[in-house]
């Protein structure tokens, strides 16, 4: 199901974004990758000179949902705080046979995807049957990106194949509902229906989570779904720049509005990046940022900016 995206997950890679993109293009169903932009050939700061001409951003399209891989250094790495849920809905895997056959096809695709992602990675929840799903598993792949794979009930309300999932633990413990309400309010003018979806509290104390905290929650920004849960294990690290959420803005006024509403840590502001009150990292950029970066000296100028100013490119 194609997704009209307002927000694009960006994944930090340690010099291997092109290889990671090629891997995801083969490991995931309905996926392909391409180099979207490259580092300039000259005028790079000393710490990036080895990246001259190398891919800067690699785009991965998974069933109509775009991800961007940022080719950088070892400063950050994705972790469990933001993962990507893959919904293996049997209706996506119709093979012209009965619904039972389509369910079998979805199971086969899920199992094959799991095997590819788990190779060289770390399994956090074994693939198997759980109270909430007939087939589910959580795996961290060889590049550090976390994935949740679930066989979806085709009789339920449809959801996209890929859904970003935010786990509020550590310093953000217990704030999943608050964050969802804030994000929906902030982006309420997005195209499509924004709002809160299903919410299921733990009901009883579970690890660091109180009974009213969310074992599962979801919210919608425009036509794009997100999951927001509170950590019940005590093992979820804080949010980092390893996975950030990118918003393309139509003009300077929109950049300014989102920046003022989201930025909560002046020390984290750099090159259009910010950190919000929950610790989640965002990139607030012009819709034509690639075109702007092609201007002479633009790459050097953006390194000196915090909030991006279109007129200064």
């Amino acid at each position: 199901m194609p997704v009209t995206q307002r927000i694009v997950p960006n994944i930090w890679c340690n010099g291997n974004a092109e290889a990671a993109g090629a891997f995801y293009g083969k490991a995931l169903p309905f996926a392909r990758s391409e180099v979207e932009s490259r580092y300039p050939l000259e005028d790079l700061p000393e710490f990036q000179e080895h990246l001259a001409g190398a891919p800067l951003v690699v785009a991965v399209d998974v069933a109509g949902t775009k991800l961007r891989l940022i080719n950088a250094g070892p400063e950050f790495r994705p972790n469990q705080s933001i993962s990507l849920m893959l919904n293996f809905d049997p209706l996506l895997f119709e093979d012209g046979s009965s619904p039972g056959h389509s369910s079998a096809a979805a199971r086969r695709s899920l199992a094959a995807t799991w095997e590819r992602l788990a190779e060289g990675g770390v399994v956090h929840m074994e693939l198997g049957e759980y109270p909430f799903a007939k087939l589910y598993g959580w795996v961290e792949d060889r590049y550090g990106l976390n994935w949740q794979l679930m066989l979806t009930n085709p009789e339920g309300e449809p959801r996209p194949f890929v859904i970003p999932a935010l786990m509020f633990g550590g310093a953000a413990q217990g704030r999943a509902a608050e964050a969802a309400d804030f994000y929906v309010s902030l982006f309420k003018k997005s195209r499509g229906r924004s709002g809160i979806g299903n919410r299921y509290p733990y009901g009883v104390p579970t690890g660091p989570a109180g009974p009213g905290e969310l074992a599962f929650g979801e919210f919608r920004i425009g036509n794009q779904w997100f999951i927001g849960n509170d950590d019940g294990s005590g093992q979820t690290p804080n949010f980092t720049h390893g996975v950030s959420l990118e918003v393309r803005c139509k003009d300077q006024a929109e950049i300014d509005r989102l920046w003022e509403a989201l930025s909560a840590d002046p020390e984290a502001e750099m090159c259009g990046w910010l950190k919000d009150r929950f610790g989640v990292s965002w990139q607030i950029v012009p819709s034509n940022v690639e075109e702007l970066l092609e201007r002479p000296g633009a790459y050097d100028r953006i390194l000196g900016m915090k909030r991006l100013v279109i007129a200064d490119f």
Side-chain angles (χ1 to χ4, degrees), residues 6 247-262 272 274 283-288 292 306-311 313:
R6 186 73 173 88
V247 184
R248 297 287 177 113
C249 299
K250 61 182 179 181
D251 54 29
Q252 189 66 46
E254 187 173 28
I255 290 174
D256 294 345
R257 182 182 75 84
L258 293 178
W259 191 273
E260 291 295 334
L262 283 167
L274 61 81
Q283 295 181 64
I284 309 301
V285 302
S287 58
N288 63 335
L292 294 173
K306 292 186 175 182
R307 179 191 323 213
L308 298 188
V309 179
I310 297 172
F313 275 85

Side-chain angles (χ1 to χ4, degrees), residues 79-161:
N79 64 32
Q80 291 170 263
S81 62
I82 299 183
S83 59
L84 297 172
M85 175 74 78
L86 298 181
N87 289 308
F88 286 80
D89 187 332
L91 296 178
L92 288 174
F93 296 87
E94 291 284 3
D95 58 4
S97 303
S98 67
H101 283 96
S102 62
S103 179
R107 282 180 171 270
R108 287 195 300 271
S109 181
L110 191 159
T113 303
W114 174 269
E115 185 175 350
R116 297 182 197 113
L117 292 175
E119 184 178 357
V122 178
V123 173
H124 294 298
M125 293 181 69
E126 293 287 349
L127 184 64
E129 184 170 351
Y130 291 85
F132 53 85
K134 291 191 177 297
L135 188 60
Y136 169 88
W138 183 319
V139 63
E140 179 180 322
D141 70 31
R142 66 187 69 176
Y143 298 103
L145 186 56
N146 280 258
W147 304 85
Q148 300 183 62
L149 283 64
M150 184 165 68
L151 184 67
T152 305
N153 181 355
E155 297 177 2
E157 185 178 350
R159 292 289 183 268
F161 182 61

Side-chain angles (χ1 to χ4, degrees), residues 34-297:
E34 63 178 350
V35 175
E36 195 170 73
S37 61
R38 293 183 176 273
Y39 282 92
L41 293 172
E42 53 188 21
D43 297 328
L44 285 168
E46 185 175 350
F47 75 97
Q48 288 184 332
E49 286 179 347
H50 67 288
L51 292 169
L56 172 58
V57 175
V58 176
V60 181
D61 184 288
V62 187
T65 294
K66 177 174 277 192
L67 314 173
R68 287 192 173 97
L69 311 182
I70 303 171
N71 203 39
E75 296 86 352
F76 304 104
R77 180 179 169 87
N79 64 32
Q80 291 170 263
S81 62
I82 299 183
S83 59
L84 297 172
M85 175 74 78
L86 298 181
N87 289 308
F88 286 80
D89 187 332
L91 296 178
L92 288 174
F93 296 87
E94 291 284 3
D95 58 4
S97 303
S98 67
H101 283 96
S102 62
S103 179
R107 282 180 171 270
R108 287 195 300 271
S109 181
L110 191 159
T113 303
W114 174 269
E115 185 175 350
R116 297 182 197 113
L117 292 175
E119 184 178 357
V122 178
V123 173
H124 294 298
M125 293 181 69
E126 293 287 349
L127 184 64
E129 184 170 351
Y130 291 85
F132 53 85
K134 291 191 177 297
L135 188 60
Y136 169 88
W138 183 319
V139 63
E140 179 180 322
D141 70 31
R142 66 187 69 176
Y143 298 103
L145 186 56
N146 280 258
W147 304 85
Q148 300 183 62
L149 283 64
M150 184 165 68
L151 184 67
T152 305
N153 181 355
E155 297 177 2
E157 185 178 350
R159 292 289 183 268
F161 182 61
V162 182
I163 301 181
L166 284 67
M167 183 70 76
F168 290 78
Q173 180 68 45
R175 304 185 73 184
E178 176 193 352
D181 292 342
F182 172 63
Y183 297 148
V184 167
S185 175
L186 181 62
F187 292 100
K188 62 185 177 182
K189 294 183 180 180
S190 294
R191 295 181 180 179
R193 296 175 298 160
S194 296
I196 302 300
N198 296 308
R199 281 182 171 174
Y200 301 103
Y202 281 99
V204 297
T206 305
E213 294 181 21
L214 295 182
F216 177 83
E218 58 180 2
F219 59 97
R220 183 173 182 167
I221 294 174
N223 292 318
Q224 190 175 2
W225 283 98
F226 293 82
I227 294 170
N229 301 343
D230 290 304
D231 178 27
S233 69
Q235 299 178 7
T236 302
N238 292 325
F239 296 110
T240 74
H241 291 315
V243 179
S244 58
L245 302 177
E246 180 194 84
V247 184
R248 297 287 177 113
C249 299
K250 61 182 179 181
D251 54 29
Q252 189 66 46
E254 187 173 28
I255 290 174
D256 294 345
R257 182 182 75 84
L258 293 178
W259 191 273
E260 291 295 334
L262 283 167
S263 186
D265 181 359
E267 295 298 319
E269 296 178 354
M270 59 176 183
C271 309
W273 293 62
L274 61 81
K275 186 180 292 186
D276 72 17
R277 66 188 71 173
F278 310 103
V280 177
S281 291
W282 297 77
Q283 295 181 64
I284 309 301
V285 302
S287 58
N288 63 335
V289 64
E290 286 90 2
E291 176 187 330
L292 294 173
L293 283 171
E294 290 178 359
R295 297 179 179 178

Side-chain angles (χ1 to χ4, degrees), residues 12-31:
W12 191 282
C13 296
N14 184 9
N16 52 15
E18 190 167 16
F23 169 72
Y24 296 135
K26 293 180 179 178
L28 305 173
F30 321 117

